[in-house]
Amino acid sequence: MEKIYITTAIPYVNGKPHIGHAVDYCLADCYARYHRLKGDEVRFQAGTDEHGNKIAQKAKELDLPVQDYVNENANKFRDFIKKLNVSYTDFVRTTDESHEKRVQEIWRRLSDHIYKAKYEGWYCTGCERYVTKKEFDETGGVCPDHQKPYEELQEENYYFRVSDFKDRIREAIVSNEMRILPEFRKKEILCLLEESPDVSISRPVSQLSWGVPVPDDPSQVMYVWLDALSNYITVIGFPDAKDFGEWWPANAQFVGKDILRFHAIIWPAMLIGLGLPLPQNLVSHGMVLCDGQKMSKSIGNVVDPIEVLESHGLDAFRYYFLRHIDTFADSDFTWDKYEEAYNNELANDLGNLVQRLATLADKNQIVISRDNNSRLSDEYIALMDGFEFSKAFDLVWNKIQELNKRIDEEKPWSLAKNGEIEKLKTCLHNLIDGLLTAVYELSPFIPDAAAKIIDIFSGKITTPKVPLFPKNHN
Ligand SMILES: [Zn+2]
């Protein structure tokens, strides 16, 4: 039995949960459930990022105290995670008092690598980020996302000296001490590492008030990185919790590909500065596209995860996003594809199989003495350990389709008609055993459906009154 610590990126709570968050949670949850099946002990973090000007401004627009505004939004995210049946164990908010205290301690411990310097350059308030000379030139001085000219800025900030750690980070990436997945991103990160500048980690209090105060300097407030990235260790009690060392380093940290670079450069720099080991796996997933295009408000093709969730329920949601959205590459969502996957695969392949087997067993009063179905195939384990979730899902689905072929070939209904009861028993026993073995492997992906199927075939089998995946259901 191993201790496995899994993390998800913490969303910035100035808006609604989107599909990208959902993918992050589903992948991490699938991995957590897989480890629990193997008998490992799992700790699983989720949380929310709640500081910064965008949040303070939004609260002001709504005429709400900032804390009330973030409380409300943090709850929205927590509800969303619950709706996805994500089995997290720890929830961290960057406005938690314990997080803030711990982050200040982290700052103190990194102080040998922190210096104060003057920043002169451009800034986008919409993005809440500094703009490099190169970006300024490429965009003609106008933010492409906000269509606003960059502001000229002159201020004193604290910087974190990333350059102190570059050699060590490169070594960790190259040797797979900190494995970056997918493999093809590794080269990209190594290039970015070379040109990575020191990062600003604070802003003057006059520019930013909604944040964690910098220790021993009331004129400055922490800005983004140190505060947000620290959540992965503050939530499990760094530095003083007794069992912190039992859980850190994380076995797997799940992030979207757009934020991989911060997790693969700034975050390990912080950890090395703190004398802590690096995460074992940084798993970056692709983006969900809509009709081959990036989802964006201006195109008007943003898919609301809640709407998807409500159309066919949670199993369908997790099914689609864990199987048809490739774990690593960008993949497409369309409503047509979603409907098709629901009707042809979930309802036909799996739902019908369950219904046929349960009906036959019920009609012929067959009691199944169940074999041990709690086993995972070597091939499945290899794929899951390699974070190839969509491939592992395909593997199990092939087994479901194989069972459908077998039921058509072996025709248990004619065995029943001919009174060949012994043969019928053996036939159904084998088919149901095959189904339950596949369902065991499916359970990290679609836990609710898996639990229902196991329940149907436990004890006296009765025909389910409602099919597992009713068609034309809305
Ligand atoms: Zn911008």
Side-chain angles (χ1 to χ4, degrees), residues 124 126-127 143 145-146 150:
C124 176
C127 300
C143 172
D145 293 332
H146 295 95
Y150 295 123

Side-chain angles (χ1 to χ4, degrees), residues 312-332:
H312 291 296
L314 177 61
D315 290 314
F317 188 97
R318 292 181 59 124
Y319 176 81
Y320 191 87
F321 288 99
L322 287 170
R323 179 156 185 238
H324 290 295
I325 298 296
D326 185 275
T327 307
F328 299 129
D330 293 349
S331 331
D332 211 23

Side-chain angles (χ1 to χ4, degrees), residues 57-166:
Q57 270 161 16
K58 198 83 191 255
K60 204 174 164 192
E61 278 167 35
L62 297 167
D63 201 22
L64 280 172
V66 193
Q67 190 62 54
D68 290 3
Y69 174 72
V70 295
N71 289 349
E72 205 176 279
N73 278 346
N75 281 335
K76 274 186 204 155
F77 275 89
R78 218 194 278 243
D79 286 348
F80 180 63
I81 298 173
K82 267 192 204 135
K83 282 198 175 118
L84 297 173
N85 195 4
V86 170
S87 55
Y88 69 87
T89 58
D90 296 78
F91 197 91
V92 56
R93 298 178 52 187
T94 55
T95 58
D96 286 339
E97 202 190 314
S98 81
H99 169 81
E100 293 187 355
K101 275 194 188 140
R102 291 172 196 281
V103 171
Q104 287 177 323
E105 179 57 27
I106 288 169
W107 180 292
R108 282 189 198 100
R109 287 180 187 217
L110 289 175
S111 55
D112 284 351
H113 308 280
I114 292 173
Y115 61 94
K116 208 172 191 179
K118 201 169 237 152
Y119 175 80
E120 267 178 272
W122 294 276
Y123 189 83
C124 176
T125 343
C127 300
E128 275 194 67
R129 104 193 154 76
Y130 303 94
V131 176
T132 61
K133 171 92 174 64
K134 198 173 148 207
E135 281 174 300
F136 184 89
D137 291 342
E138 279 169 4
T139 55
V142 179
C143 172
D145 293 332
H146 295 95
Q147 300 299 328
K148 264 201 236 159
Y150 295 123
E151 279 171 47
E152 221 176 338
L153 201 71
Q154 217 187 68
E155 63 183 35
E156 277 219 301
N157 299 329
Y158 283 103
Y159 285 83
F160 178 49
R161 204 182 294 111
V162 176
S163 48
D164 287 354
F165 308 99
K166 284 187 180 176

